[in-house]
Amino acid sequence: MHRLILMRHAEAERAHPGGDRERPLSARGQSDAVRVGRALAAQGLRPDLALVSSAARTRQTWDLLQDAFGDVEVRIEPDLYNAPAETVHALIDAAAEDAGCLLVLAHNPGIQILAADCLLQAAASPALMERMTGGFPPGATAVFNVDAAGRRAHQAYLTPRDLEASE
């Protein structure tokens, strides 16, 4: 794996009669997912493997992202649902040999904690650490380059609000 993309699902509805796992994306979440997918693709950040939580909101986010990426292998991972950072990290390690560019689409707080851990390992600037650890809103995406030794270097951090402001 030479690149890792960590993404939180786009904005979801507050509640669903079927419970948390079945909460769908809100209208804003749907448009944000399309916006993030286009922005990633425009920067050449196209995964060849995506690990996606089994929750409705993450699957819907992926469906809207995928239009921008084209053909990508997708694995729905039930263990990503509300997973702690350690579980997300273990799933990444297990898939690392299968992908050049791996996208992981999951939930907070696990995805944010893992992104912050990657920044710490990369000795990121205090300003970037503060920005990312200050909040990882729905649709937030952190991109890391990964060297041959598995060390991660920060490449990008996008949020739907940042993208909306730049349009």
Side-chain angles (χ1 to χ4, degrees):
M1 172 178 63
H2 67 272
R3 184 168 291 126
L4 174 63
I5 302 171
L6 300 174
M7 182 176 183
R8 181 179 177 194
H9 62 80
E11 182 182 273
E13 295 292 338
R14 293 271 177 218
H16 187 274
D20 183 66
R21 195 179 285 262
E22 297 306 315
R23 286 191 303 134
L25 292 180
S26 66
R28 175 167 180 108
Q30 292 174 25
S31 62
D32 285 350
V34 170
R35 184 178 290 117
V36 171
R38 288 180 183 158
L40 290 170
Q43 294 178 37
L45 301 170
R46 295 173 189 231
D48 42 44
L49 174 61
L51 303 181
V52 179
S53 162
S54 59
R57 58 193 177 274
T58 49
R59 292 189 327 261
Q60 288 175 331
T61 299
W62 173 252
D63 290 344
L64 294 164
L65 289 171
Q66 190 172 20
D67 289 341
F69 299 139
D71 190 30
V72 176
E73 180 184 350
V74 181
R75 295 181 191 162
I76 303 301
E77 291 284 350
D79 290 343
L80 280 173
Y81 175 70
N82 286 338
E86 298 79 18
T87 300
V88 179
H89 191 272
L91 289 166
I92 290 168
D93 285 348
E97 294 295 317
D98 300 335
C101 180
L102 174 65
L103 182 141
V104 179
L105 181 53
H107 309 268
N108 265 2
I111 203 77
Q112 177 180 357
I113 291 169
L114 182 58
D117 288 348
C118 289
L119 285 177
L120 281 172
Q121 292 170 7
S125 73
L128 181 58
M129 286 294 301
E130 183 177 327
R131 182 170 181 241
M132 192 178 294
T133 58
F136 205 79
T141 305
V143 182
F144 298 91
N145 291 320
V146 182
D147 70 14
R151 293 179 301 249
R152 297 176 180 133
H154 173 262
Q155 181 179 348
Y157 176 61
L158 319 164
T159 68
R161 181 160 287 145
D162 293 339
L163 297 172
E164 187 176 275
S166 67
E167 290 179 343

